[in-house]
Amino acid sequence: MTDPLSPEEIDRYRRHIVLAEIGGAGQQKLKQAHVLIVGAGGLGAPVIQYLAAAGIGHIGVLDDDTVTLSNLQRQVIHDTAGLGTPKIASAEAAVARLNPHVTFTGIAERLTADTAARLLAGYDLLVDGSDNFATRYASADAAEAARIPLVTGAVGRFDGSLTVLKPYEAGQDGTLHPGYRDLFPTPPPPGVVPVCAEAGIVGALTGVIGTLMAMEVIKIVTGAGDPLVGRLLLYDGLAARFETLKYKRRAG
């Protein structure tokens, strides 16, 4: 049974509701959505923040880390008072402050091939804001097996990227949409891609990419616009330039 929007919710989401592409029906879809987010870090923080503000009804967050001082340069839902606390607890407090209409589940685990099926149960969309290829591949495999959309992003130094994966569905031409391995067939050898602690990262970059990831979630849930399926969006922060690369399912 659909839970109608309350008068307070109608007022809160008024700027969504007046949009023809979203409207009351789209806002109701946001309220009914269950979204699981991998990571409450640089990318996860703005995703959590904007999805909570948008009225996603249930947000789950996977993260087994604690808040450290070096996180605060970019992980904007955490603060100095929360140093040493679990990130999922800090994220839950941030969501509660922002929107009391959102329910939150914090899970102090990592998504792996062994845990994925259990962790994704009950969710209808997955967002991967992790910082390592093992989790990205596990997220992609899990979302494909569960037949739910995946919004995945990555950042490094001054550059970022994101895409949307629905490899279980066919496009207008009848062929299946590409999966993560069509874009990245194999992970790079260990040590080739430095972590941000070694290479550095500008804090605002995670806000740019994380907010774009939240936008893709809102589009997918409401049906507004054209999600980045089969397209990789690239952002060069130093040059202030966006590029979009198309990719397809590989033969075989």
Side-chain angles (χ1 to χ4, degrees):
M1 183 176 179
T2 301
D3 183 16
L5 297 172
S6 68
E8 197 269 337
E9 287 175 294
I10 291 172
D11 194 28
R12 178 183 287 266
Y13 307 126
R14 189 173 301 277
R15 300 302 189 278
H16 274 175
I17 293 171
V18 298
L19 292 169
E21 294 85 353
I22 297 181
Q27 192 61 50
Q28 188 68 56
K29 290 177 181 177
L30 292 171
K31 183 175 181 177
Q32 298 300 318
H34 288 61
V35 176
L36 182 62
I37 301 166
V38 180
L43 291 175
V47 172
I48 293 166
Q49 194 170 43
Y50 273 97
L51 293 188
I56 292 291
H58 184 90
I59 293 175
V61 177
L62 285 167
D63 201 305
D64 64 352
D65 203 0
T66 58
V67 179
T68 65
L69 192 58
S70 64
N71 296 151
L72 303 186
Q73 165 251 17
R74 63 200 177 283
Q75 300 180 18
V76 292
I77 58 173
H78 312 302
D79 57 28
T80 305
L83 291 175
T85 63
K87 286 186 180 178
I88 54 172
S90 178
E92 182 172 17
V95 169
R97 288 192 300 269
L98 183 59
N99 192 344
H101 300 284
V102 176
T103 59
F104 183 96
T105 299
I107 308 163
E109 291 188 49
R110 289 180 178 267
L111 190 147
T112 67
D114 295 329
T115 63
R118 170 175 56 84
L119 294 172
L120 264 64
Y123 290 96
D124 39 49
L125 194 148
L126 181 63
V127 181
D128 180 16
S130 64
D131 60 358
N132 65 89
F133 280 96
T135 303
R136 290 170 190 157
Y137 279 93
S139 296
D141 292 343
E144 182 172 3
R147 300 180 66 83
I148 62 173
L150 169 65
V151 177
T152 181
V155 289
R157 290 175 49 80
F158 294 91
D159 306 312
S161 64
L162 70 147
T163 190
V164 173
L165 298 169
K166 288 186 175 183
Y168 51 87
E169 285 185 357
Q172 293 182 347
D173 62 358
T175 61
L176 288 172
H177 291 307
Y180 193 73
R181 284 178 172 80
D182 296 303
L183 185 58
F184 302 109
T186 58
V192 170
V193 180
V195 297
C196 70
E198 300 170 349
I201 185 168
V202 64
L205 173 67
T206 61
V208 173
I209 302 302
T211 304
L212 288 169
M213 292 168 71
M215 182 67 184
E216 291 302 299
V217 173
I218 292 169
K219 287 162 57 182
I220 294 166
V221 172
T222 63
D226 185 16
L228 286 166
V229 177
R231 294 182 292 150
L232 179 68
L233 183 64
L234 303 172
Y235 173 64
D236 179 343
L238 288 178
R241 181 175 59 238
F242 284 96
E243 294 182 61
T244 304
L245 303 179
K246 292 183 178 181
Y247 62 99
K248 296 181 178 181
R249 200 172 188 93
R250 292 171 181 264

